[in-house]
Amino acid sequence: MMRLRRRTADIGDRAAALSAALDAGGHRLEPAAAQRARALLGKLDERLRLSGDHTVVALAGATGSGKSSLFNAIAGVELSPVGARRPTTSQATACIWGSDGAEPLLEWLGVPRRHRVNGESALTAAEDNPLHGLVLLDLPDHDSTELAHRLEVDRLVELVDVFVWVTDPQKYADAALHRQYLSRLAGHDAVTVVVLNQADRLSPEGLQACRRDLARLVAADGLRDVDVLTTSARTGDGVDRLGAELAKAVGRRTAWSERLGADLDAAAVELGTWVGEDEPDPRQVASAPESRDLVEAFAEAAGVPAVVRAVEADYRRDALGTAGWPVTRWGRRLRPDPLRRLGLPGVGGGGGAGGAGAGGGRADAQPQVEVVRRSSLPAPTATQQARVELATRRIADRAGSGLPLRWADAVRAAAQPPSGDLTDALDQAVVRTDLGLRRPVVWRALGLVQGLLALAAVAGLVWLLALAALGWLRMPQPSTPYWGPMPVPTLMLVGGLLLGVLLGGLVRLAAGAGARRRGARVRSRLEAAVTEVARERVLDPVGTVLSDHRAAREALRRAGGQR
């Protein structure tokens, strides 16, 4: 019982691996092969719930091969009708040695009650009968002219534990037997027996030649470890050896697990043709030069260069408008805000995902629906779109290299998100990026200095005008203070103007350098946001396909019995 549980657990683990491979592969696997594998899982689940102490053996063959005669010879009584008409066997007949616990198994096999016979009661055998636990089925003819009979054979061939294919010297090379059945059971050597019946019709030399030729054909079908037995139901020659082979299969109590294991092997091999031997590492794809090209293409399509230029222009405008020479400062304030023209907040207007309604409020206030803001950046040009498509195609080519066609197509589909969705995602990445547009304190301080210099120049000018007016009116003039050789009013006027112009020039130079630094910082932030879009919209979906391929490949290896 412990060995039975171990075999059941092993088959269950392999079945779970096959199910995992199907789930991971999904539509990337060939539909017909996947459907057959799922049908196998359903059959396997049902067989594991049924008796493991019984071994189901099917006698299958063409019309006139003598399989029903062999069935009767093994059973020891006339159970299955024998005749020359086509067809003789219309439904499967079952002979059971040890019927305890076999009822659910026979119901699952679909054998009618009227076609069931207790072999041990017919033979009055003891409990130690070597065939105890055998369920022997006599199938309809696989070459029957009745479609229902052929369908019944196909159905039961998928369910039984051991196959006994009965042929004769006239039909042993029949293409229907080899192409439709034996070649499809390649790999099921442990649960397949081939019988050359009607041996009494040939001479010993002819029988051996016929047997060797049949063995050659069976090996060509992929059953290289299957022995070909010779029997004669009429004379009884070879029937005892066939019975011994059946007793051996029943005695080891592993035929059902060997059959299911061979089925799992075949399913893993079939599905494995739709899975590659290896796949690129998603991490290497994400760090490849093609990924950098993808981010650059996305950044250009998102309008990052335009935003950076606007940020630099906004910085210079704000710096010169705050700390520039007051005489020209007012003119710059009349110029339009380059960021607000793009639908982006300027200095002091925020710059992240926050906005109206993002700040604090009453604790009992109703939650507000977030309003999705959009920028006024121009739509990507045809050239930019072409560059994005080229970059995604290069990613797909690198990631899909060496993969089967269906997986390569899945990689290409994952690497090419819908154009409209991608444009919206890039726009939102730009809008929600905190540009860090905060006015440096030094500009306010320099603006205050510029104001003081302008005030000094104006005061000096008023002072000089007042002195000139008093002189023109020939009125007494107050004494004018001097700073060294220069009158203070003149010094105030000239010094205020000269220092204001000089400071304005220095502010212009500093504003240019600061604008470049801010532009570089903003570019870095925007590229990080665009990189996140590239990861979410392209690299992650591609990585998911590659991870699914790896999961399917490794699961198929486990389903095939490999560790």
Side-chain angles (χ1 to χ4, degrees):
M1 181 61 69
M2 184 63 68
R3 292 175 61 190
L4 178 60
R5 289 179 178 175
R6 188 178 297 113
R7 290 195 300 270
T8 303
D10 180 65
I11 293 295
D13 292 342
R14 292 177 60 187
L18 181 60
S19 178
L22 290 171
D23 292 340
H27 66 280
R28 282 74 61 103
L29 301 174
E30 201 275 327
Q35 184 177 4
R36 286 189 290 270
R38 294 191 185 280
L40 169 61
L41 291 176
K43 179 192 77 171
L44 188 147
D45 181 65
E46 294 174 348
R47 184 64 180 93
L48 290 178
R49 297 181 184 184
L50 300 172
S51 174
D53 295 327
H54 288 83
T55 301
V56 182
V57 179
L59 290 178
T63 303
S65 61
K67 59 180 176 55
S68 295
S69 299
L70 276 180
F71 180 84
N72 294 334
I74 296 171
V77 292
E78 190 78 16
L79 298 178
S80 189
V82 178
R85 65 186 180 91
R86 296 174 57 91
T88 296
T89 307
S90 59
Q91 285 186 313
T93 300
C95 185
I96 307 101
W97 284 261
S99 59
D100 292 343
E103 183 71 19
L105 181 60
L106 291 169
E107 292 293 335
W108 178 64
L109 292 170
V111 179
R113 289 182 178 274
R114 66 180 181 276
H115 288 265
R116 306 175 190 175
V117 178
N118 192 323
E120 287 185 340
S121 63
L123 297 173
T124 63
E127 292 184 357
D128 59 352
N129 189 314
L131 295 181
H132 183 79
L134 172 63
V135 177
L136 186 62
L137 300 181
D138 182 19
L139 302 188
D141 303 330
H142 69 73
D143 63 346
S144 172
T145 56
E146 296 291 336
L147 176 61
H149 298 175
R150 300 196 301 272
L151 294 177
E152 180 70 0
V153 173
D154 294 343
R155 184 183 70 84
L156 287 172
V157 162
E158 295 295 329
L159 302 180
V160 300
D161 303 326
V162 178
F163 315 97
V164 178
W165 296 98
V166 182
T167 185
D168 60 81
Q170 291 182 336
K171 296 184 178 180
Y172 74 88
D174 185 15
L177 171 64
H178 292 276
R179 294 179 183 176
Q180 298 180 18
Y181 295 102
L182 292 182
S183 61
R184 288 169 51 191
L185 293 174
H188 291 69
D189 306 55
V191 292
T192 303
V193 178
V194 177
V195 175
L196 179 62
N197 196 28
Q198 303 177 6
D200 55 298
R201 293 187 176 185
L202 299 174
S203 64
E205 296 78 9
L207 178 61
Q208 291 304 316
C210 188
R211 178 184 176 278
R212 286 193 299 269
D213 194 35
L214 177 56
R216 177 185 61 81
L217 294 175
V218 171
D221 291 330
L223 299 168
R224 296 176 177 81
D225 296 329
V226 173
D227 291 332
V228 177
L229 306 181
T230 59
T231 62
S232 173
R234 188 175 67 85
T235 64
D237 290 341
V239 175
D240 291 342
R241 184 182 176 188
L242 176 58
E245 289 293 328
L246 298 182
K248 187 187 301 183
V250 172
R252 66 178 184 264
R253 294 289 192 271
T254 59
W256 63 270
S257 63
E258 291 169 348
R259 164 65 200 272
L260 295 177
D263 287 345
L264 287 171
D265 289 341
V269 169
E270 183 180 20
L271 290 177
T273 60
W274 303 98
V275 176
E277 297 181 357
D278 200 358
E279 65 284 322
D281 189 340
R283 293 171 298 183
Q284 293 182 356
V285 173
S287 60
E290 290 84 353
S291 297
R292 181 58 190 171
D293 294 341
L294 177 69
V295 172
E296 291 178 356
F298 276 17
E300 186 176 347
V304 170
V307 175
V308 171
R309 289 193 297 270
V311 166
E312 293 177 353
D314 179 77
Y315 186 92
R316 289 191 295 269
R317 171 181 174 275
D318 181 62
L320 296 177
T322 303
W325 193 35
V327 176
T328 59
R329 186 187 301 176
W330 64 272
R332 294 191 173 274
R333 295 185 181 276
L334 297 179
R335 296 181 180 180
D337 188 334
L339 284 176
R340 295 191 183 278
R341 292 180 64 183
L342 298 179
L344 301 174
V347 175
R362 290 172 45 185
D364 58 348
Q366 295 295 326
Q368 297 181 359
V369 178
E370 181 181 0
V371 178
V372 178
R373 294 189 296 111
R374 296 186 60 86
S375 73
S376 300
L377 288 166
T381 64
T383 302
Q384 292 170 342
Q385 291 178 348
R387 185 181 178 189
V388 168
E389 293 176 0
L390 179 60
T392 56
R393 188 157 54 246
R394 286 176 175 172
I395 288 288
D397 291 343
R398 181 180 182 89
S401 175
L403 296 180
L405 180 60
R406 284 180 171 271
W407 289 95
D409 289 342
V411 168
R412 280 191 289 271
Q416 295 177 350
S419 177
D421 293 346
L422 180 59
T423 300
D424 290 341
L426 292 174
D427 186 76
Q428 289 302 303
V430 172
V431 169
R432 295 180 178 180
T433 299
D434 182 6
L435 302 181
L437 305 182
R438 285 172 290 276
R439 178 178 296 152
V441 178
V442 64
W443 298 136
R444 296 183 181 276
L446 292 177
L448 179 60
V449 173
Q450 285 281 32
L452 294 177
L453 291 175
L455 182 61
V458 170
L461 177 62
V462 171
W463 194 345
L464 291 176
L465 291 176
L467 291 177
L470 291 175
W472 183 73
L473 294 175
R474 298 184 179 276
M475 295 179 63
Q477 297 183 4
S479 61
T480 302
Y482 279 76
W483 179 271
M486 292 191 64
V488 170
T490 303
L491 183 62
M492 292 175 62
L493 175 60
V494 176
L497 291 177
L498 291 179
L499 289 178
V501 171
L502 178 61
L503 183 59
L506 295 176
V507 166
R508 182 181 295 275
L509 293 175
R516 289 188 292 273
R517 287 194 301 271
R518 175 167 289 185
R521 184 169 63 250
V522 168
R523 180 184 295 276
S524 177
R525 294 186 180 186
L526 290 175
E527 287 183 350
V530 170
T531 300
E532 185 67 16
V533 174
R535 184 185 63 81
E536 292 179 354
R537 298 303 177 108
V538 177
L539 298 179
D540 280 357
V542 168
T544 298
V545 175
L546 296 179
S547 298
D548 288 346
H549 183 272
R550 173 176 296 176
R553 176 174 55 81
E554 294 177 348
L556 285 177
R557 186 175 63 250
R558 296 194 302 272
Q562 303 178 22
R563 298 297 180 185

